[in-house]
Structure formats: C-alpha cells, structure tokens
Amino acid sequence: MRGTPLALSGLLRDIGVRHQGARSLRAGQSLFRQGDKATAIFEVERGRIQLLRHTADGRRVILFTAGAGQALAEAALFSPRYHCDGVAAADACVRFFRKEALLAAFRKNPDLAERFMALLARQVQSLRAQLEVRNIRSARERILRHLSLAARGDTVLVDGTLKDLASTLGLTHEALYRTMAALERDGAIRRKGRAIRIAAGGRDRA
Amino acid sequence: MRGTPLALSGLLRDIGVRHQGARSLRAGQSLFRQGDKATAIFEVERGRIQLLRHTADGRRVILFTAGAGQALAEAALFSPRYHCDGVAAADACVRFFRKEALLAAFRKNPDLAERFMALLARQVQSLRAQLEVRNIRSARERILRHLSLAARGDTVLVDGTLKDLASTLGLTHEALYRTMAALERDGAIRRKGRAIRIAAGGRDRA
DNA sequence: CGGCGTTTTGAGAGAGCTCAACATCGGTGG
DNA sequence: CCACCGATGTTGAGCTCTCTCAAAACGCCG
C-alpha cells in the first residue's frame, strides 16, 4: 500500500520486461546522482529509495520516496541525465532496467509499449487520487476516504507499518492511531491485525 | 500552473496528436459517466472538469480536478469503461481524442508512442513532487518549496489566481495571502504582479 | 457606474502537532 | 529459555498553527 491507494500490483517485471540485474544498497548509499548520465530506471525490491534534490544553498529536498514494488526514475527514460539524487533511505535492493534496452523493446514490441503506457497511466491516476485525498483536512475523513479507495470489497489489507500509512496520508502516526481508535470505537471500522474492515455505514458516521 | 509545479507545457496536441473534435459544457454537465464505454480521452481547453466517483451510499468523491491544459481520463485508454464520472465544475471546453485513433497512431508511429510515454512519465514525476510538497506541514516552508520547484531561475510566474495556487498547495487562500505577505516582509520573496522573485537566501530565513 | 470575484487583514476556535511516557512485538545473543 | 534492545504501536496533555468566519479594499468587465 505504501504510496499507492489503488495498488499498482506488480510493475515493470509484470508487464514482461526483463531486468538486467539487481543491486543492494546500504542505508545512505547512492544509487545515482544528479547530473549522472541516465542509463537505467529502477524498481525497488526491498527497502526504500529517496529521490533528493539539492538546492543552491545546499539543503536537501525529498522529492519522492519509493518503497518496495515501486518504480523509480521512470522519467529518466526520456532524459539524458538524472535530475536528482537517488539514495537508499534504508538498506535496500533494487532491480535495474537499462534505458536503451527498454526503449528498443518498446519500439520492437508495441504491445509492451502499450502495457508500459498503461502502467504509467495508472500511476498518474493513482497519484491524482492521493493528491485529492490530501485535500481533505479532517484526519477522520481523510483516513476513511483512503480506506475506501484502497479497499477490495469492504476490507483493506495494510501491508506496511501503520507509521508508513500515516506518512502516506500526511498525518503524524499519533494522529493516525488516535483516529483509527476513534473510528473503531464508533464502529466505522473494525481491525483484525493487518486487516481493516469498513462498516457499511462507515462514511455516514464521519 | 494549476495542479502542476513542474509545468507540463503543452500536452497531447503538442506531441503531434490531432484531436477529433471539441465540446463545450455548461457547469454541472457530464462529459462521461462511470460505466460508460470509454471511447476517448480529453484535454481541457477552458474551465474545469472534475472526476467524481459515487460511493455505495451515494456520496460524491472528487478524485481529480483538471484545469485548462490538463489531460483527462488517460487511464481510459487502457480500460474498456470509464471508472468514474467526468463533470464540468465550471463552464468548460474540452478537446477529445478517440481511443482507437490514438492507440493505432501509437502502434504505427513509435516516436509518437515514445513522446506520449514521456508525457506520462513527466506527469508522474510532477505529481510525486506535488505529493512531497504536501508532506510539509508549515505553510511557509510549503510555499517556499513549491516556489523553488516551480521557479525558472529565481522567479515564478503565477498564471492562475492566487486562490488556485492556494488550493493546489492545500492551503486556504487566507493562509496563503498571509504567509506570502510575511515572506515579503521578511525579504524571502518579492512580488511584482504575477511574478514572484525568490531571494537568494529565501530558504534560510524559513 | 454597479456587481462580482480576487486580494487582503482581523480575531477566535479547533484540530492536529509536539513532547512524553508506556506497552507490545520481534529479533538477537548470552 | 530468557534478558535485552530497538522499532512499532498506543495513549495523555498542552500548544501552536492553520482553519473558519467576517469584513473591507481592490480590480475587472459588462
């Protein structure tokens, strides 16, 4: 669920693209640096990779944090150089896909190209939905909407930590815990370990 | 600037795709409905189109609001039906691009396909950056970061209203006005009509 | 000129953040 | 097997910052 309510189950690997290798990184290690020639795009297998940009005065700005199962630096496919740093926020393992190989494959195989487009289109859709969720001020409403977007049927299976969930929702973990407890007290949701079931009238009681 | 800090200058039309027509809508009118056969994707020329989904209990959820220059329902290219409603939030005019025509063009012309992918990839990038900006709690910091991402050189040209800017930043317009005034008082930025210049040490004084 | 939407400033309240303490769980090593 | 440790999960209390409600100046267009 990390970072995506409409889970993009699977990614490059699943559309039939073969990766050209993998690489392990220790927390803090760089995968690539701003200005490096862009030779590949990546998919996080384990851990977390952050895209960082450095401002003129040397401050770090996090542009994006990619968790397991998320693609990284797709835009580099169409740009000669990486426009930011890619650094491991925790010990991580990434698969990499060489640019020329990918682009060549797309040209040779329109089906593959189409699947990749579909992947990107779904990402756009999912990101927009996330952005819209962030427009909701109330923690309660925001959580409920996220859950109802992420739900399969009436249940959501949280596959990261609740802390991660809090940060993807733009809440502190305390606020998330408290509000979830309140929601459960009110009967709007019911929790059983990783599974959260949304009550039929959950959204009414909001 | 609406909805995109890293301005996606131009869209489908600019990558060489020809549209198959245009349509005007009055505020409140539907462009398409959830479950309709997906026959086209769109680009907003004027006004605003909202993507809405209806929950089981009949409540409307806004998934996305597309302003002038933004594409709409790209994901429909790869889905047989629209998965939400497209409704005009204000009087609007949209260009439409037929699915089969687009997909056929992509298959026949790999360059075009590649440009479309690039478009999607840049959108993904931009949306992620927006999401990351939303993680900043402080209005002051959030505005400064948005500005530094949106800046060309040291100046930002705001091309919507400041109210629009406030909503893309997830702030009330009052908070935006107040904070911008404070930033100007502190010398972090300087405004001249539509142009905002960021002072060299703007981010230090935050 | 008159009306409407944007821009601007004021004052107050509420929601979420911050800091803090504690419980719980899973892994690690003696 | 148990003691220990770190990270996650949970709850409490106070405070700050933004939202909300309100009012007024400004600019634009018919």
Side-chain angles (χ1 to χ4, degrees):
Chain A
M1 168 179 308
R2 237 208 93 71
T4 152
L6 307 162
L8 307 181
S9 60
L11 271 151
L12 291 162
R13 222 169 45 165
D14 296 348
I15 66 174
V17 179
R18 208 161 291 164
H19 60 283
Q20 278 89 27
R23 184 175 162 197
S24 291
L25 295 131
R26 308 299 298 264
Q29 218 177 341
S30 281
L31 183 56
F32 52 82
R33 291 181 187 281
Q34 182 166 9
D36 281 0
K37 221 178 131 185
T39 55
I41 70 175
F42 309 90
E43 189 168 303
V44 180
E45 201 173 326
R46 193 171 49 72
R48 278 187 353 256
I49 305 284
Q50 289 187 329
L51 297 184
L52 304 173
R53 188 184 285 181
H54 293 272
T55 60
D57 52 322
R59 287 168 60 128
R60 290 162 34 129
V61 175
I62 301 168
L63 285 177
F64 173 59
T65 305
Q70 292 194 293
L72 199 67
E74 306 93 326
L77 257 186
F78 308 102
S79 151
R81 300 186 173 279
Y82 296 111
H83 73 297
C84 55
D85 292 359
V87 179
D91 290 358
C93 183
V94 299
R95 287 188 282 270
F96 57 84
F97 302 79
R98 299 211 169 281
K99 257 176 78 163
E100 325 84 58
L102 267 183
L103 290 173
F106 291 155
R107 282 180 179 275
K108 203 178 307 178
N109 185 346
D111 284 344
L112 201 62
E114 207 173 288
R115 284 202 291 276
F116 185 65
M117 278 187 216
L119 199 72
L120 290 174
R122 255 178 285 131
Q123 272 192 60
V124 167
Q125 204 182 11
S126 155
L127 286 165
R128 282 177 181 168
Q130 277 183 74
L131 221 34
E132 211 64 51
V133 167
R134 291 289 187 96
N135 283 338
I136 305 167
R137 315 252 175 236
S138 150
R140 188 191 178 96
E141 289 291 336
R142 195 186 303 174
I143 292 170
L144 279 176
R145 181 165 311 173
H146 173 84
L147 290 177
S148 75
L149 287 176
R152 302 201 155 278
D154 65 347
T155 57
V156 180
L157 279 156
V158 182
D159 55 21
T161 66
L162 288 187
K163 269 180 104 167
D164 287 342
L165 177 59
S167 85
T168 78
L169 286 176
L171 295 169
T172 57
H173 58 279
E174 294 100 320
L176 179 74
Y177 293 138
R178 263 190 265 274
T179 311
M180 296 256 291
L183 286 169
E184 198 162 16
R185 235 180 287 125
D186 299 356
I189 64 172
R190 181 161 302 189
R191 278 186 285 178
K192 274 180 196 155
R194 310 267 81 176
I196 301 172
R197 211 173 65 212
I198 306 165
R203 282 167 234 96
D204 296 332
R205 251 164 298 205
Chain B
M1 169 176 305
R2 236 207 94 72
T4 152
L6 308 162
L8 307 181
S9 59
L11 271 150
L12 291 163
R13 220 168 46 165
D14 296 348
I15 65 174
V17 179
R18 208 161 292 163
H19 59 284
Q20 278 89 28
R23 186 177 160 194
S24 291
L25 295 129
R26 308 299 298 264
Q29 218 177 341
S30 282
L31 183 56
F32 53 82
R33 291 181 185 279
Q34 182 165 8
D36 281 0
K37 223 179 132 184
T39 55
I41 70 175
F42 309 90
E43 189 169 303
V44 179
E45 201 173 326
R46 194 168 50 72
R48 277 187 353 258
I49 306 285
Q50 289 187 328
L51 297 185
L52 304 172
R53 188 184 284 181
H54 294 272
T55 61
D57 52 324
R59 287 169 59 128
R60 290 161 35 129
V61 174
I62 301 169
L63 285 178
F64 173 59
T65 305
Q70 292 194 292
L72 199 68
E74 305 93 327
L77 256 185
F78 309 102
S79 151
R81 300 185 174 279
Y82 296 110
H83 73 298
C84 56
D85 292 358
V87 179
D91 290 358
C93 183
V94 300
R95 287 187 282 271
F96 56 85
F97 302 79
R98 299 212 168 280
K99 255 176 80 164
E100 327 83 55
L102 267 183
L103 289 173
F106 291 155
R107 281 178 181 277
K108 202 179 306 176
N109 185 346
D111 284 344
L112 200 62
E114 207 172 288
R115 282 202 293 276
F116 184 66
M117 278 187 217
L119 198 73
L120 289 173
R122 256 178 286 131
Q123 272 192 60
V124 168
Q125 204 183 9
S126 156
L127 286 165
R128 281 177 181 168
Q130 277 182 75
L131 222 33
E132 211 65 51
V133 167
R134 291 288 187 98
N135 282 338
I136 305 166
R137 314 252 174 239
S138 150
R140 187 191 178 96
E141 289 291 336
R142 195 187 303 176
I143 291 169
L144 279 175
R145 181 165 311 172
H146 172 84
L147 289 177
S148 74
L149 287 176
R152 301 200 157 278
D154 66 346
T155 57
V156 180
L157 279 156
V158 182
D159 55 20
T161 66
L162 289 186
K163 268 180 105 168
D164 287 342
L165 178 59
S167 86
T168 78
L169 286 177
L171 296 169
T172 56
H173 59 278
E174 295 100 320
L176 180 73
Y177 292 136
R178 262 190 265 274
T179 310
M180 295 257 290
L183 286 169
E184 198 162 16
R185 235 179 287 125
D186 299 355
I189 64 172
R190 182 160 301 187
R191 279 186 284 179
K192 274 179 196 155
R194 309 269 82 176
I196 301 173
R197 212 174 64 214
I198 306 165
R203 282 168 232 97
D204 297 332
R205 252 164 297 204

